Amino acid sequence: MDVLNNLALGLATATEPINLLLCLAGVFLGTAVGVLPGIGPLAAIAMLLPVTFHLPPEAALVMLAGVYYGNEYGGSIASILLNIPGSPSASITCLDGYPMARAGRAGVALFMTAIASFAGGILGIGIMASLSPALAAFALLFGPAEYFAIMLLGLISAAAVSSTGAVRGAMMVFLGVLLGTVGLDITSGQTRFTGGSLDLRDGIDIGIVAMGLFGVSEVISSMRDPAGMVLRGRFRLADMLPTGPEARASAGPIARGSLLGAVLGTLPGTGQTVSSFMAYALEKKISPNRSKFGTGAIEGVVAPESANNAAAQTSFIPSLTLGIPGSPTMALMLGAMMIHGITPGPRIIDEHPQLFWGLVVSFLIGNLFLLILNIPLIGLWVRLLKVPGEFLYPATVAIICIGAYSINLSLFDVWSVLVFGLVGYALRLWRFEPAPLLIGFVLGPMMEEYFRRTMLLSRGDAMVFIERPGAATILLACLLLFAASVLPFSRIAASARRALLQAR
Amino acid sequence: MHSRALIAQAGNLAVLCVGAAFVLGAATGLDLGTPRRLGPGAFPLMAGICVIALALCSILIDLRRAQAPARADAMAVLAVAGAMAGFALLSPLAGVLPATFWAALAASLAARRPGWLWRLILACVLTGLAWLLFIRLLQVPFIAFRGL
């Protein structure tokens, strides 16, 4: 009954004309920003922050939140159409979304992404509305050892999904972890592996790695490809609808991905990226179509998309109820709240119910807007693929150059994107996948922080990872997942069956 | 035969060398600390050892089923590298918009379609769109034309 009253309060707040308008503006802007490489939600929210000073706090947060989760959808568009992930969590969508686009099924990929994102968002909102205090308490149970373990699980998942084999995938993951150590060590203040360069002092920007490894290398690979993309004559509504078997095959992955994302989203910092990779890894393990993953399987698109959108909603739980921002973007949103005199923390639901429940209902409305806005635009995005390659790829190169330069107004970043692009192309030639490298790069620094914190708290006793049941369970899952990916269980089982038959 | 096997393993060997470089850099140039207070070199050392171990495993696996790398497209590499390098060099000299023009023009040189007119028109259109989107709409503080 309480939840219903709260939702009614939230509905009254969220449906005020100003809040509706700002929600629409936020999701539209977030989607647009997500498509452009180099301009992430952090830049968009930072630019909008001064505008929000003059707005009521609910309106300010509704708009900024719209930018945040709208950006997830925009990042998926770039992943599917251009193989350039707009965010780390969208990089897994490249694996199957881009092959679908190349096979002339970009409309289906974008449509199902919209549906999966909506479904994931709704489940995340439902969980947020009903279980916020419980999930906040759950997040508090996680100590540094558990955070380290869950991130390691995310890395192993990324290795396990690699179509070139778990060993090569793991190699890329740890190479990404190494790249993430370049720059300033927060704990000691010492610079690492910078070669004395001031430009590398702050480390390598994630946008640079993504644009180089995915964008530039893809342009080099495809720009003179005589096969090109398969383009149908006219794009019709039917071209974006999945087939019956595809629709049926998507239901399970969407449900599982949404649940996984909703739970993992409550862990600050890890939620979206880890959940999208784990959702993909899970589906790849259990799907009857697992051989199609990496070549355009619809399950490989909908699972991570539902997971990262569910996580995008529930990532507000630790931020609002515990005051723990999981990312720089979330930190900026909390800053916006504090500017309006609202202190995030355990009492926010009681002290500012209008804000909290208004935000929850606005997420629902925002996800509806995303669906309504983006489905009609699918035809427009797909028509982008009709642009001949000789026009599209130079445009992509120009956008990447400007996008890279716009991050810090530093030409060092442009050179870095070029270097990563050439490295990414070389990785492709030797059949290495770049997606695991990206996740290693993102999670590596956080893993290091939690690992060092764990060792400090345990006074140097590494057995703490076994003694804490949560960490031990997750580490065991890591081991089993890696073993399942590396060892040829089907061949071992077949040999065992043959031996048994011979023994009889 | 040996050179072909070496080329096939070049990727694994390159990753091995990168891992070794990080291990060497961490062990010799950074403080490893103590088990309780790990230094800045400890984590890169551990990650580097993992990379070396995995690279060795990959080399062993690939010894049985070595596959030559795919053929590189030199024209595409040169066009994209020239475009991006030109952008980086021209921006401080002439401004972002001339650099964008160069980037679009140079990248289009890789296309199989002949002709210069379409390339010049494409570069002009993309430069105009870049001005509209980044400078006008997003208000990114670029210098459009240096000296103006």
Side-chain angles (χ1 to χ4, degrees), chain A residues 155 172-182 436-437 439-445 447-448, chain B residues 22 43-44 47:
Chain A
L155 295 188
M172 287 294 103
V173 160
F174 282 97
L175 190 62
V177 169
L178 278 181
L179 284 176
T181 63
V182 172
L437 194 154
I439 191 169
F441 179 78
V442 170
L443 293 183
M447 267 183 75
E448 180 182 4
Chain B
F22 272 85
F43 195 77

Side-chain angles (χ1 to χ4, degrees), chain A residues 29 33 36-37 39 47 148 164 166-168 170-172 174-175 177-179 181-182 185 187-188 190-193 216 219-221 223-226 388 390-406 409 411 414-415 417-418 422 425 427-432 444-445 447-448 451-452 455-461 482, chain B residues 7-12 15 18-19 21-22 25-26 29-31 35-41 43-48 50-51 54-55 57-58 61-62 65 67-77 79-81 83-85 87-89 91-92 96 100 103-104 107-113 118 122 126 130 133-134 138 140-142 146:
Chain A
L29 194 60
V33 155
L36 292 171
I39 313 275
M47 281 191 274
F148 171 80
T164 55
V167 170
R168 287 164 79 93
M171 197 162 74
M172 287 294 103
F174 282 97
L175 190 62
V177 169
L178 278 181
L179 284 176
T181 63
V182 172
D185 172 41
T187 312
S188 64
Q190 204 174 344
T191 51
R192 298 187 292 193
F193 311 113
V216 174
V219 168
I220 296 174
S221 297
M223 70 192 317
R224 283 162 58 83
D225 181 1
E390 53 251 29
F391 300 150
L392 189 62
Y393 292 119
T396 308
V397 169
I399 290 173
I400 286 175
C401 287
I402 299 173
Y405 188 42
S406 69
L409 294 181
L411 291 164
V414 180
W415 288 109
V417 170
L418 174 58
L422 295 173
Y425 185 59
L427 289 176
R428 281 169 183 261
L429 295 179
W430 269 273
R431 296 176 191 85
F432 290 103
M447 267 183 75
E448 180 182 4
F451 184 71
R452 286 166 87 169
M455 295 302 286
L456 185 68
L457 291 171
S458 69
R459 297 170 197 263
D461 180 13
F482 192 67
Chain B
I7 289 168
Q9 294 284 14
N12 291 323
V15 174
V18 169
F22 272 85
L30 295 170
D31 178 24
R36 182 173 172 174
R37 281 188 191 280
L38 292 170
F43 195 77
L45 181 76
M46 288 186 279
C50 289
V51 167
L54 289 163
C57 289
S58 185
I61 292 169
D62 285 352
R65 45 183 174 108
Q67 250 183 318
R71 249 183 110 87
D73 187 338
M75 187 67 194
V77 172
V80 171
M84 295 187 72
F87 180 94
L89 292 168
S91 282
V96 166
T100 305
S108 70
L109 292 176
R112 296 177 196 276
R113 186 171 155 170
W118 70 268
L122 175 69
L126 289 175
L133 186 59
F134 288 92
L138 292 173
V140 182
F142 289 146
R146 199 161 287 275

